[in-house]
Amino acid sequence: MKILWRQLISLMQGLSIFLAVLLLNACASKPIVEGPLQKAEWQTKALIRDMKANKSQSVSIDMLAIKNQKVRMDVSALMGFQVASLVMSPKEIAYAIYPRKEFYYGKNSEKSIERIIGLSLHPMNLANIAFDEPVRGPGWVCEQDISKLVKSCENQQRSIRVDWKDRTEGQKKVVITAPQFEMQWLFKAPQTEVQFKSETFTLKQPDGFKAIQLN
């Protein structure tokens, strides 16, 4: 009986060691994210309200971005209908508005995307919002939460405000408000293991589209 009991204890000890080794190996093989996010892909949905025109539109926005360098956004409506595609860097921008058959290109500035969303905001700030970075530009003041993440940015002179809400496991809701405008932007957790192709951040004028240069 004593021999059987000792064998049982020995077996349990061996099993414990085996499980501990498996756990250590699992932890060692788990990728470790070091430093802040530098590039990612987001699937998002947005509800855009134009209070002046009393209209609302729900869209899906796929965003691919390299922080502070390059951004691509593809906007679609219900049933996958293409609304717009946009590529940009801090200095240059190009975008196509498919229902209007218009292609805009030129200098990236705070006026660049007013034709799309009716908001005077430098387009690179849309990527800053995705990366949980402060909105940049003259007149912007931002605050952080207790976790040192940006929670709100406001430009009182322009009456524009951005609020980050409901952060949960990489997901979040961002609300952008301005006179006669509101955008509720829902982000899924980003894909961070991404490899962008060279053509990802290029956009050519589609056939039959009118080209309009931005100054």
Side-chain angles (χ1 to χ4, degrees), residues 2 14 20 24 31 69 76 96 113 131 135 142 147 161-162 170-171 208:
K2 289 183 179 180
L24 287 172
Q69 296 182 37
S76 58
I113 58 171
F131 279 108
V135 177
C142 299
S147 301
R161 183 178 176 89
V162 181
Q171 302 185 65

Side-chain angles (χ1 to χ4, degrees), residues 73-110:
M73 300 175 69
D74 291 294
V75 185
S76 58
L78 294 176
M79 307 299 292
F81 178 77
Q82 283 186 302
V83 176
S85 292
L86 175 152
V87 298
M88 62 178 164
S89 67
K91 294 184 178 181
E92 296 182 343
I93 189 170
Y95 60 88
I97 303 179
Y98 296 107
R100 302 180 194 172
K101 291 192 173 182
E102 295 175 343
F103 178 77
Y104 294 83
Y105 68 97
K107 180 181 178 182
N108 200 358
S109 71
E110 294 183 345

